[in-house]
Amino acid sequence: MTKTLTNHLQAIKNARKGLILPYIMAGDHDKGLDGLFETLSLLEKAGASAIEVGVPFSDPVADGPVIEEAGLRSLAHGTTLDGIVAKLQEQSLQIPLVLMTYFNPVYQYGVEKLVADLAETSVKGLIIPDLPHEHANFVEPYLVDSDISLVPLVSLTTGLKRQKELIKDAQGFIYAVAINGVTGKSGSYRQDLDQHLKRLSAMADIPVLTGFGVSSQEDVARFNQVSDGVIVGSKIVRDLHAGQTKTVKDFIQAASQFEK
């Protein structure tokens, strides 16, 4: 069964448009989680292909300073995974959501319970950066009969053989990590990055999106040449926190109109 997230993103790719997935931290709003759908609606109307929703965690190993600070603000508002799921059950969007969380909150919540509780929400994907491929069996069996995809991450240091293992039978999209390090780090892309992304995109049967350090329309144009689109986190989180909603809307709108 091809899942909703795969079909939705593939349709945009087939229309020869660039994919744009903005990231936000749930609960990082003056109203806490009560402001979540306000932000999601803003991003949806601006033209986001899908939206990545972060779950705050006390030890976010993949997060750079901007997203880490957003997580601390969210935690200060009392945000929990339970609260996020409950809020997402209140309302649906026209585009898919992808929940980005570490494994500990998922384990504490209960994997089977989480998948069941997300069934009637707009969440169609999960990103768990600290869950190794070898331990994906902790989650994947519960997703088999669901409409939720477990999104694999492929880094620059991932060997070709392992790349093939990670993308085999994957659903949703492939998260191509553009730098070695944490999110938000920019201006230090490796010279062989474009070649790596071209090869990965050629191997994958589903869209490949480039993330980590993407912060300008120049980045959007570059990565649309060698992959299917971009994931933008730190820039979106920073601008939203600064109240620059027009800047966010303009950025997403421009990225969503990129023509292949």
Side-chain angles (χ1 to χ4, degrees):
M1 178 184 74
T2 305
K3 301 193 179 187
T4 293
L5 182 60
T6 310
N7 288 333
H8 178 80
L9 297 180
Q10 188 65 45
I12 298 172
K13 176 183 176 179
N14 290 346
R16 304 189 66 79
K17 293 285 189 179
L19 293 161
I20 169 70
L21 268 71
Y23 167 99
I24 63 167
M25 176 64 71
D28 182 28
H29 190 283
D30 291 343
K31 301 175 187 174
L33 282 178
D34 287 338
L36 179 59
F37 277 101
E38 178 183 319
T39 305
L40 293 175
S41 178
L42 168 77
L43 301 176
E44 181 179 44
K45 289 176 181 176
S49 307
I51 304 169
E52 187 180 345
V53 179
V55 176
F57 184 53
S58 57
D59 188 23
V61 294
D63 295 343
V66 172
I67 292 178
E68 187 172 356
E69 289 169 9
L72 292 174
R73 291 192 297 267
S74 177
L75 290 171
H77 282 130
T79 306
T80 63
L81 180 54
D82 294 67
I84 293 170
V85 173
K87 181 59 65 175
L88 292 173
Q89 288 173 334
E90 294 178 6
Q91 194 173 331
S92 296
L93 278 79
Q94 296 299 309
I95 60 173
L97 301 179
V98 181
L99 203 64
M100 187 283 195
T101 178
Y102 292 92
F103 185 66
N104 185 274
V106 174
Y107 179 78
Q108 296 295 329
Y109 193 103
V111 180
E112 186 173 12
K113 183 177 188 302
L114 178 64
V115 173
D117 289 351
L118 291 175
E120 300 304 319
T121 73
S122 296
V123 174
K124 303 300 177 185
L126 281 177
I127 298 173
I128 309 177
D130 63 342
L131 181 67
H133 177 63
E134 288 74 16
H135 297 310
N137 60 305
F138 289 160
V139 175
E140 285 181 333
Y142 302 104
L143 301 180
V144 172
D145 295 322
S146 80
D147 194 25
I148 297 176
S149 305
L150 182 63
V151 175
L153 286 86
V154 177
S155 73
L156 275 167
T157 57
T158 305
L160 186 59
K161 181 180 177 182
R162 186 166 176 81
Q163 287 180 39
K164 292 178 179 178
E165 291 175 357
L166 292 173
I167 68 176
K168 184 177 183 291
D169 300 324
Q171 291 262 11
F173 63 93
I174 309 298
Y175 194 134
V177 180
I179 57 173
N180 295 322
V182 295
T183 59
K185 183 180 176 184
S186 60
S188 56
Y189 293 122
R190 270 175 35 172
Q191 290 185 344
D192 60 347
L193 174 59
D194 288 12
Q195 182 182 0
H196 162 75
L197 292 170
K198 281 183 181 178
R199 184 173 60 243
L200 181 61
S201 298
M203 289 192 302
D205 294 327
I206 58 176
V208 173
L209 298 178
T210 304
F212 281 48
V214 180
S215 60
S216 68
Q217 291 299 330
E218 288 74 23
D219 291 335
V220 172
R222 172 184 178 176
F223 294 128
N224 266 294
Q225 299 299 327
V226 290
S227 67
D228 299 305
V230 294
I231 300 164
V232 185
S234 294
K235 173 182 170 50
I236 300 295
V237 169
R238 184 189 302 113
D239 288 349
L240 286 174
H241 182 59
Q244 298 175 355
T245 54
K246 186 178 186 304
T247 300
V248 171
K249 286 191 292 185
D250 290 348
F251 186 93
I252 294 173
Q253 185 174 36
S256 69
Q257 293 175 350
F258 189 92
E259 296 188 2
K260 298 282 192 174

